[in-house]
């Protein structure tokens, strides 16, 4: 069987130095790969952005997660640099377990982020304190402190229309159902942390063999909103999930059967790498990558 594994999460940023500082000093990421300035007809084709030029820097936490910071030089990035609503379809947040939520919040402020103290909430039954912060471009970063939970990256969150459809889709990318939380009682703490009054939702965790976790969020009340089409890569905020894949064409066909799609016009094969771009059923951009040969 071909291997599919999560590579990284993409973030479109306005200032590469400011974002590097935030993720390194505020959230514990370390330098990983600096791709310098990326441009040329292959990149323009796969990103579907004419004459694109961008700076791409990858950072990695010691516990594994990798993020790719994308600074568009041409054309400029667009969109609001504000935290997106939790009830808007697509990628909504990054989440971390921390050992001292106040110390981490202070680090985040010192690193150029913002702490939204009004979102601080306490789930008494689980003994968990939660707080939302944002990176310099408005990406939601959830901090969670809970008894017995070691400091680590926890998960990425996606607001979905249909959990069963999303489960089927991500199963083809190696994810299996894990913890399932039905929060349909109108909890005050949940309304506080999400900033949505009287919210009711189901949170289905899915996990791959390497421990990567995604939280599928199905809103019960109020209804979710927003486009379920993939957004341009040069839109500020969380942009995509990228996977290494030994056979991307076969995976793309499976994902298409399960409610997603891929764009043939964005399919590129260079001497070093093959790239395919599409989206999951809720518009989250999915990138499949196959290494053709070792660079150099």
């Amino acid at each position: 069987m071909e291997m599919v594994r999560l590579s990284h999460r993409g973030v479109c940023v306005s200032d590469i130095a400011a974002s590097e500082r935030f993720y390194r000093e505020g959230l514990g990421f370390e330098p990983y790969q600096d791709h310098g300035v990326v441009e040329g007809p292959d990149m323009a084709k796969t990103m579907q952005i004419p004459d694109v030029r961008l700076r791409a820097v990858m950072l990695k936490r010691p516990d594994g997660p990798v993020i790719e910071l994308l600074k568009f030089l041409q054309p400029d990035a667009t969109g609001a640099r504000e935290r997106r609503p939790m009830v808007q379809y697509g990628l909504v947040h990054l989440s971390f377990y921390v050992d001292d939520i106040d110390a981490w919040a202070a680090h985040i402020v010192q690193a150029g982020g913002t702490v939204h103290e009004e979102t601080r909430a306490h789930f008494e039954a689980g003994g968990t304190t939660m707080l939302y912060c944002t990176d310099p471009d408005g990406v939601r970063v959830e901090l969670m402190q809970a008894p017995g939970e070691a400091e680590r990256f926890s998960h990425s969150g996606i607001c979905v229309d249909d959990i069963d459809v999303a489960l089927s889709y991500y199963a083809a990318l190696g994810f299996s159902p894990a913890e399932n939380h039905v929060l349909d009682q109108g909890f005050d703490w949940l309304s506080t942390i999400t900033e949505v009054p009287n919210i009711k939702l189901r949170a289905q965790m899915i996990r791959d063999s390497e421990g990567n976790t995604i939280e599928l969020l199905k809103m019960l009340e109020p209804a979710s909103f927003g486009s379920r089409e993939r957004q341009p890569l040069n839109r500020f905020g969380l942009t995509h999930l990228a996977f290494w894949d030994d056979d991307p064409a076969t995976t793309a066909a499976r994902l298409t059967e399960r409610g997603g799609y891929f764009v043939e016009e964005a399919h590129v094969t260079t001497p070093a790498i093959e790239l395919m771009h599409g989206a999951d059923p809720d518009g989250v951009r999915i990138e499949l990558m196959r290494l053709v040969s070792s660079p150099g």
Side-chain angles (χ1 to χ4, degrees), residues 109-129:
V109 171
Q110 293 167 4
T114 302
V115 173
H116 301 279
E117 187 61 37
E118 68 276 14
T119 68
R120 184 184 291 261
H122 185 71
F123 173 41
E124 188 171 354
T128 303
T129 299

Side-chain angles (χ1 to χ4, degrees), residues 84 89-90 226-232 235 259 261 263 278-285:
R84 71 185 280 140
Y89 290 120
S227 172
R228 293 175 61 218
E229 291 296 319
R230 66 191 183 128
Q231 300 301 302
R235 184 70 53 85
Y261 65 89
V263 180
D280 79 357
D282 295 289
V284 173
R285 184 180 283 262

Side-chain angles (χ1 to χ4, degrees), residues 45-108:
K45 179 180 179 182
T46 197
M47 293 185 177
Q48 296 186 285
I49 302 175
D51 303 316
V52 69
R53 294 184 71 245
L54 70 150
R55 179 88 192 287
V57 173
M58 304 187 82
L59 305 175
K60 183 176 183 178
R61 269 183 56 96
D63 53 343
V66 177
I67 58 170
E68 181 180 41
L69 304 178
L70 302 172
K71 162 60 179 175
F72 283 83
L73 307 174
Q74 179 180 304
D76 290 336
T78 62
R81 294 172 56 218
E82 300 175 355
R83 61 193 187 278
R84 71 185 280 140
M86 292 292 291
V87 296
Q88 184 175 351
Y89 290 120
L91 286 164
V92 289
H93 70 285
L94 303 173
S95 183
F96 296 79
Y97 275 110
V98 299
D99 50 7
D100 185 331
I101 200 166
D102 293 315
W104 273 69
H107 287 315
I108 281 173

Side-chain angles (χ1 to χ4, degrees), residues 266-283:
H267 186 180
V268 168
T269 302
T270 76
I273 196 168
E274 180 180 8
L275 300 170
M276 297 186 72
H277 279 268
D280 79 357
D282 295 289

Side-chain angles (χ1 to χ4, degrees), residues 86 118-122 130 132 140 183 185-201 221-222:
M86 292 292 291
E118 68 276 14
T119 68
R120 184 184 291 261
H122 185 71
M130 295 158 284
Y132 267 120
R140 281 185 184 266
L183 304 173
Q185 302 301 308
F187 297 109
D188 289 341
W189 64 266
L190 187 61
S191 296
T192 298
I193 187 62
T194 61
E195 301 180 277
V196 181
N198 303 313
I199 190 171
K200 300 177 182 179
L201 60 82
E221 292 181 21

Side-chain angles (χ1 to χ4, degrees), residues 7 20 25 42 44 59 77 92 96 127 138 151 157 166 200 207 213 218 227 231 233 237 262 267 276 286 293:
S7 168
E20 274 199 88
E25 298 179 13
D42 287 328
L59 305 175
V92 289
F96 296 79
E151 182 273 312
K200 300 177 182 179
R207 191 168 295 119
T213 305
K218 166 61 180 176
S227 172
Q231 300 301 302
L233 275 168
F262 281 82
H267 186 180
M276 297 186 72
I286 300 295
S293 63

